[in-house]
Amino acid sequence: MTIPNYDYLRDPAEIYRQSFAAIRREVDLAALTDDLAPVALRLVHATAMPEILGDLFATPGAAQAGRDALAQGAPILCDAEMVARGVTRNRLPQNNDVLCLLNESRVPSLAISQATTRSAAAVTLWQPHLAGAVVAIGNAPTALFRLLEGLAAGWPKPAVILGFPVGFIGAAESKAALIADSFGVPVIALRGRRGGSAMAAAAVNALCGDSA
């Protein structure tokens, strides 16, 4: 059997360098604040879609608020295991806890009693960890809606909400609600239906100092 002789770049460092050089050629970083630019770069790197930056929203100082929280040891609360798995652990500034409570034993019964999704029910269990935390939602719109309901009811406030739920039902609406009123919590979010676990994890990694 003849193995094709593919011509492709193999050096990891050079792939990394060329990737971010290409991103910098294709995005207008001048339109972004200094604290948000590394997050934007990571989002584009995770998706290969420079055009998403037209939908990127951030409240002033949100990225810095997230960095400060992580530097002080804040936990990272994730709506999905894929988000949690995407966080680069060796870049965490204080060996921060990365928590996804979706598979907690109490979640199925909570979801039934609350007549909601498991993702939303799991958010109910975030309350003891919420104060000053970094919240990363990259999958479930119902999780983001439940968090907003909780904040409206007086739950402790996280340091920042990274809002990247994805999908055709509820994703755009949940992020629109977050942008309209985050109850005083700094926000980084992507408007519209696009999002995903890779984006949410990339945003966390950027806040950890994992920048290009």
Side-chain angles (χ1 to χ4, degrees), residues 99-170:
L99 304 175
C100 177
L101 304 183
L102 186 60
N103 293 316
E104 284 281 319
S105 60
R106 292 171 288 171
V107 167
S109 60
L110 278 173
I112 292 171
S113 66
Q114 296 173 5
T116 191
T117 66
R118 290 174 58 247
S119 296
V123 171
T124 305
L125 302 180
W126 287 1
Q127 294 179 68
H129 312 284
L130 260 180
V134 171
V135 170
I137 297 178
N139 182 31
T142 56
L144 182 51
F145 275 126
R146 184 68 189 102
L147 176 61
L148 292 175
E149 291 168 349
L151 292 174
W155 286 7
K157 292 183 179 181
V160 65
I161 299 170
L162 308 175
F164 295 92
V166 62
F168 293 93
I169 306 300

Side-chain angles (χ1 to χ4, degrees), residues 6 8-9 71 80 89 101 109 118 148 153 167 187:
Y6 297 112
Y8 61 95
L9 192 59
R89 297 304 202 275
L101 304 183
S109 60
R118 290 174 58 247
L148 292 175
V187 167

Side-chain angles (χ1 to χ4, degrees), residues 38-40 42-47 52 56 70 76-88 92 98 126 134-140 144 160-166 175 188-190 194-208 210:
V39 178
R42 277 287 159 196
L43 292 173
V44 174
H45 182 254
T47 61
I52 66 172
L56 186 62
L70 292 174
I76 301 162
L77 301 178
C78 307
D79 71 317
E81 290 288 351
M82 287 182 67
V83 178
R85 295 300 180 103
V87 174
T88 307
L92 293 171
V98 182
W126 287 1
V134 171
V135 170
I137 297 178
N139 182 31
L144 182 51
V160 65
I161 299 170
L162 308 175
F164 295 92
V166 62
K175 288 178 283 188
I188 301 174
L190 191 73
R194 290 182 292 187
S197 297
M199 287 196 203
V204 173
N205 291 334
L207 298 182
C208 289
D210 184 12

Side-chain angles (χ1 to χ4, degrees), residues 7-18:
D7 182 17
Y8 61 95
L9 192 59
R10 294 171 171 83
D11 178 15
E14 186 59 17
I15 293 170
Y16 186 93
R17 187 194 70 77
Q18 289 193 27

